[in-house]
């Protein structure tokens, strides 16, 4: 059973597990690859694959968000990103792609670039551009700017709103500003909201109670993230997802049937990681750096988190541009000619599901796991 | 006692252990090296050493399969490999041996080479060639191609049939093709079948119930395997072997005496690993890369898994050719002039058994183990 | 619950945890950064940040001690350091900063430099110099030299006395010299004493009973420390801090209200580590190497422990000078343009507290922890 | 409590701990360095330090054995080593010191050099040479050669006989030769015998019952050892020592007072490791590679195990010669100018004992331990 460890007299810690600590255990039966479905549906929106893009400018422009949507995933745009700060950020993205530093020079460059104010008029333009492609439109805003930017965003006509910060709680306390009351805010909207990240059962449950359609689990940590070093926060994703899945079950029970989707954001680097995140109970994964390796990536393979450009406390290293592995379609669906799980991400998921005998993602959440580290 | 860990609320994982996590504990007594036997017998076939070759073209040609048989092990040939696709694959093997890339170039080359169709007429020829050398003949076929290729294989007159895929279950579900019913298939044969890989107690037991004479435990993972990254499947071999050994005991009881042999396929790199795999309960080991280091290896030291050439989802890196350690006989029986456990593989096993005081492999399955990682 | 492990028959060991083994878990709520306080108070002395400098000559001179005090921390001076051995150690510090060796040459150089006798008259001069800057004056003396140097130190008029050795106990046994009786010594003083390091509950409690106002937990271990290799002593700081916090609670109860402060000395390298140390129960942290990276550092970025210059048994490697990250103020309060937690140390702490919804350091000691390694 | 882990259904393993997994915990009190004794006594022989040299030709010649004895330790000579195979092995040792390979070339060279037959007449000469220096004379013989070489060894007049193989049991089974009956053999001698290595409680107890004065715990594993890779045997030394100490207590009880000394052979690289080995219950340590780093080392810093020259199954890498750290006296007693625990080995032990408040080695076996890995 789960450990509550006494790390010192009277001070306890829950033991948590990372996706790397676990693996999937095939058993029961096997199934034909072609009999397996990876489909996902959030509210009225249907997706061929359970894939949400991380709203980082490194991977999501209006163009690439549309491309991901057309291939069956959910593209996203950060309304606090470069596309809503600059009329044409193309040159800036090129200059970031050309950076040959992954240290302070790069961080300062990111800070400079993001110091430009957000231009509300650009938000409408970007949203329109994505919608014109015919895909589901999702934009991300931080909790701090939600109240200010919501009118513009809603007027622009998005389908899904993502309210995302490193840590988002249902109850933000401030003696200075009027804080965002998520529950009231969501009640007034008639579009689905995805909110997070969160890292534990209680916060996940409280976020569900705000009326969110989806909850982001995790803080987007990957090899470039430095949240651990800067804030002391490190999220064992297998545990965080499974705990949030327990919150989903309890909330389903308390509401008599409201199913809130869990989107795993962190430590998902390969097709094997996608399978493990879903096997722990996630409904979908949020992909960041893995999508930076496709030809359509706006920053030509460079990678950074939103938090990497924080003006006073950046929390993420800059990943220098690398050559693309292939077009987005190949990254998602293969064929792969790279054996390390970076190509054919959702073909790999599907084959893992087939080897375990499952038909769909919801069933696959029950797959057996082994803990071996 | 064994842990079932709650990795998150309501989601459990079995804790599993790798061969690297454990070691052998000598105790009781010691025994003379010359009083120890490593003999193994499967059905009517006797072997001097409990050694089955991994059916990879990198190590097994008709010639090297015969050589292994003559030295007391069980050579194998993959009927879906190069020797059954090309009249004379020698030049191709040479070109693979000359590859100086272990990334996408190599993977693409493997994919190209294996795109050539299987030629049933070659199967008969290859089998004949091995049989002419007077050794036990074993060939490997994948579950997908078993029904199609079985007639040709059986006509050719093999002694042992190996039905092997990454994961093989006793119940494959398909709405598209007529799936292979292993139990019926084996019942109709009058030669012993080895089937696998499998990774847990239940699948092992079900495979035993199909009538298989041997069950392969593991997915052949080694340093070149990427099953973990691509599929999220990683097999703690010490646990997988011990669990399959429990299935063997239970099946022995339920059948009143049918003993099914366990062949450990994965994480067996050195003579010490062979000793540990047997100490966990295996009857024999399946060796892949360790045999690529002998002078007789058809690809001159290069190494790849069968799955490394998959056309859409390759799962294995290409190991570039390295100079041989010595002739196969020296690799198996020494003398060794290399201290790292790669030479004198079965002399090392025998000495480990002697230091623990055991006489034969079956007794040695009871050796004491320590868990230290 | 906490493990007492039987490492062999009849021999037990307590299981301990390092700061790296744990992380902070945000939950409950979030709070505005500007509503969070990092203030600390020891006896009558108030500090803006819970930061005590390690009394190493590499970071603390009379000038830099004053600078840290002016910025809200507690500067310290080692009365057994270079500033009390040499009239003007500036040239020596420059020569140490210029050393391009981190091995035996550097160790010998440190041994040579510290072979010079302590000059009591310099102690008074250094103390005066710090006091003239208007900050709280704290000096460090080893237990061995406390009786000899105390008169000079007290005459010089310090505010806080730090009695610090690798390991300090409340009961030192000697058949040779009259040992320091800490309890009697402190009773005779009318200034607060900080004593340590210690590593376990019992020693911490006994040090509290000597009347110390603060107890140092840990032996100052960091990447340059070699106490483990030389003495076999390695302190899992999360456990050591939590155990000492239990001693603090028990002593509070037995005295009806005497609160002894815990200063964590070891494994605190980043802002995230500061948050974790306080989350385990520390009241303040002792910073060494992290402060060597500011422009004001007397040895221009070189770093060594006090124990690194021991004449017969040095226990610490010499860290060669590196370029500064920025002025002390930036190291403590940002803005940061380095994502790895080395800059804006206390802004990072404050943000971690805000993300967890806590108002002050005392509250934050109750933050939730996860154990994930 | 100690874990017996079920690694798979019905297959258990004892959990074991390495010296690296544990550390010493100072508590209670501290003590003056000069009040601490590291003395050791085996039978009638007294030693200033609990130090036995590993009987490897790399460190022990008649000259260096005498030097270690004069400094207070126990030198040893391998009667199956080069000094008893060659009239003058000096040139050979020089050629080994000059080897610039640590792979097969080195192993073959060792095999060649040790292929020369043992010359009984040299044994007497070497023993005389050591005895002439006035120190306690100890020689090592393997169990296989004990019956043959014993007459010569005993005639030569040694003080202590060491019967040492990788694994020595009280009951060796052979259908080929008359095996050595240790109990009868020892009963017939009137000099103390040290026997081993062994790795568990039962074997240790049985070795004690043979009448041995000392038992070697461990198989001498260090960074150059490959017993793990070759034989699958890896000894968690903290557990092995503690278990053997339990055997010592039980044997003390069953004999009404016969105290058998434990000599820890493996994973002891630094002064900190010596402290930990004694803290687990050892009476002395057997030092190999650490002594190769003194100026007197016969192979000028090169290092190899006895088993590294095995003609068919070598189990140990060759460590190329490195420059000396200092004279043997400095390695043992300092002063040190190297912070990593390689110099002043027994000064470091003594200081660790002082920081924990213990007076002698026997008391120090009760020191508190923490498990942190």
């Amino acid at each position: 059973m789960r450990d509550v460890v006494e790390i010192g007299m009277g001070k306890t810690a829950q033991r948590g597990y990372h996706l790397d600590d676990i693996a999937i255990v095939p058993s029961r039966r096997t199934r034909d690859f072609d009999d397996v479905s990876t489909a996902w549906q959030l509210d009225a929106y249907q997706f061929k694959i359970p894939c949400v893009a991380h709203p980082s400018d490194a991977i999501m422009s209006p163009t690439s968000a549309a491309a991901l949507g057309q291939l069956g995933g959910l593209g996203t745009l950060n309304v606090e990103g470069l596309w809503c700060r600059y009329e044409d950020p193309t040159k800036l993205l090129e200059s970031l792609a050309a950076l040959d530093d992954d240290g302070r020079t790069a961080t300062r460059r990111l800070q400079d670039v993001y110091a430009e104010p957000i231009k509300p008029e650009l938000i409408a333009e970007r949203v329109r551009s994505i919608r014109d492609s015919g895909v589901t439109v999702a934009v991300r805003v931080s909790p701090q700017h939600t109240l200010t930017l919501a009118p513009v965003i809603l007027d622009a006509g998005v389908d899904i709103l993502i309210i995302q910060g490193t840590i988002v709680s249902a109850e933000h306390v401030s003696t200075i500003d009027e804080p965002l009351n998520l529950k009231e805010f969501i009640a007034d909207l008639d579009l689905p909201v995805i909110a997070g990240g969160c890292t534990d059962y209680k916060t996940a449950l409280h976020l569900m109670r705000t009326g969110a359609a989806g909850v982001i689990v995790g803080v987007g940590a990957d090899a470039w993230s430095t949240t651990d070093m800067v804030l002391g926060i490190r999220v064992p994703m297998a545990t965080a997802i499974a705990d949030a899945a327990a919150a989903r079950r309890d909330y389903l029970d308390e509401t008599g049937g409201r199913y809130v989707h869990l989107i795993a954001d962190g430590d998902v680097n390969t097709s094997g990681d996608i399978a493990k995140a879903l096997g722990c109970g996630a409904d979908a994964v949020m992909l960041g750096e893995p999508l930076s390796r496709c030809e359509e990536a706006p920053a030509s393979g460079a990678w950074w988190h939103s938090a990497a450009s924080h003006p006073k406390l950046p929390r993420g290293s800059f990943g220098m541009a690398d050559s693309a592995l292939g077009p987005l379609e190949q990254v998602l669906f293969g064929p792969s000619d790279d054996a390390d799980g970076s190509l054919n991400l959702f073909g790999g998921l599907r084959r893992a599901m087939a080897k375990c005998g499952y038909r769909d993602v919801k069933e696959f959440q029950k797959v057996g796991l082994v803990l071996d580290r």
Side-chain angles (χ1 to χ4, degrees), chain A:
Chain A
M1 286 296 104
R2 191 167 180 191
D3 287 332
V4 177
V5 177
E6 193 179 51
I7 58 160
M9 296 176 197
K11 182 79 185 178
T12 58
Q14 287 277 341
R15 198 181 281 274
Y17 301 95
H18 293 272
L19 292 181
D20 270 356
D21 297 331
I22 61 163
I24 285 169
V25 182
S27 65
R28 305 197 316 164
R29 60 177 71 96
T30 47
R31 189 176 292 277
D32 257 23
F33 180 81
D34 294 322
D35 282 347
V36 173
S37 160
T38 60
W40 178 49
Q41 175 162 353
L42 178 82
D43 203 272
Y45 304 101
Q46 300 193 336
F47 305 97
K48 196 171 147 195
I49 48 175
C51 169
V52 182
H54 198 95
S56 159
D57 291 323
I59 54 169
M60 285 288 113
S61 66
T63 308
S64 68
L68 178 56
Q70 280 152 354
L71 287 165
L74 176 58
T76 59
L77 195 81
N78 184 2
V79 299
E80 300 169 27
L82 299 179
W83 291 91
C84 300
R85 294 178 193 264
Y86 294 92
E87 191 68 46
D88 181 359
T90 319
K91 284 272 183 297
L92 283 175
L93 287 162
E94 279 168 18
S95 79
L96 288 168
L99 261 174
D100 60 352
D101 176 89
D102 58 3
R104 299 176 78 186
T105 300
T107 298
R108 273 195 296 260
R109 181 74 183 126
L110 286 175
Q111 290 172 325
D112 285 352
V113 162
Y114 282 86
E116 180 75 16
I118 298 165
K119 312 233 159 34
E121 64 277 16
L122 286 175
I123 294 178
E125 191 178 322
R126 300 318 180 196
V127 167
R128 192 177 328 113
S129 154
I130 302 176
R131 200 175 39 218
D132 286 352
S133 73
V135 304
T136 305
V137 181
V139 302
R140 176 260 174 185
V141 64
S142 68
Q144 296 88 320
H145 292 118
T146 298
L147 291 179
T148 321
L149 297 177
V152 188
I153 293 170
L154 297 174
D155 277 358
V158 303
D159 298 315
I160 297 173
L161 180 65
I162 300 175
I163 302 177
Q164 184 178 20
T166 304
I167 295 294
V168 167
S169 74
E171 180 190 0
H172 183 74
V173 183
S174 174
T175 61
I176 299 157
D177 294 311
E178 174 69 16
L180 171 65
N181 181 320
L182 257 187
K183 188 168 186 170
E184 292 177 7
F185 178 79
I186 291 177
D188 289 343
L189 294 180
D190 54 5
L191 85 178
V193 171
I194 293 173
C198 70
T199 74
D200 72 317
Y201 169 87
K202 194 162 54 169
T203 313
L205 184 61
H206 287 198
L207 285 177
M208 290 171 185
R209 287 178 180 157
T210 64
V215 166
I216 298 166
V217 181
V219 300
D222 61 15
W224 289 264
S225 168
T226 59
T227 311
D228 178 12
M229 286 184 280
V230 178
L231 297 179
I233 296 170
R234 189 173 64 227
V235 185
M237 283 298 287
T239 297
I241 295 168
D243 281 354
R248 184 179 60 199
R249 279 194 304 278
D250 290 351
Y251 182 66
L252 199 62
D253 186 60
E254 87 183 34
T255 57
R258 230 190 131 252
Y259 188 90
V260 181
H261 288 260
L262 300 180
I263 297 155
D265 181 26
D267 283 338
V268 179
N269 306 305
T270 63
S271 47
D273 292 337
I274 296 173
K276 292 196 261 180
L278 300 183
C280 287
D283 296 283
V285 292
M286 186 169 260
L287 294 184
E289 189 271 344
L291 299 186
S292 76
R293 307 186 67 185
C294 70
E295 286 166 11
E296 293 88 337
S300 308
W303 168 245
W304 62 94
H305 287 91
S306 310
S309 61
H310 191 286
K312 296 196 62 175
L313 195 68
R315 299 183 296 279
S317 302
F318 180 80
M320 285 182 282
D322 203 353
S323 58
L325 290 173
L328 179 57
E329 186 167 5
Q330 189 186 3
V331 168
L332 298 176
F333 302 112
S336 165
D337 51 11
D338 187 299
D340 70 1
S342 318
L343 274 177
N344 200 356
L345 293 172
F346 290 90
L349 167 64
R350 212 164 143 193
R351 191 159 294 272
M353 292 168 71
K355 292 215 180 284
C356 297
Y358 290 98
R359 258 175 312 206
D360 60 41
V361 167
K362 190 64 206 165
E363 264 190 1
F364 187 63
Q365 291 174 350
K366 290 178 300 202
V367 72
L369 300 176
V370 68
L371 176 66
D372 68 339
R373 280 180 186 173

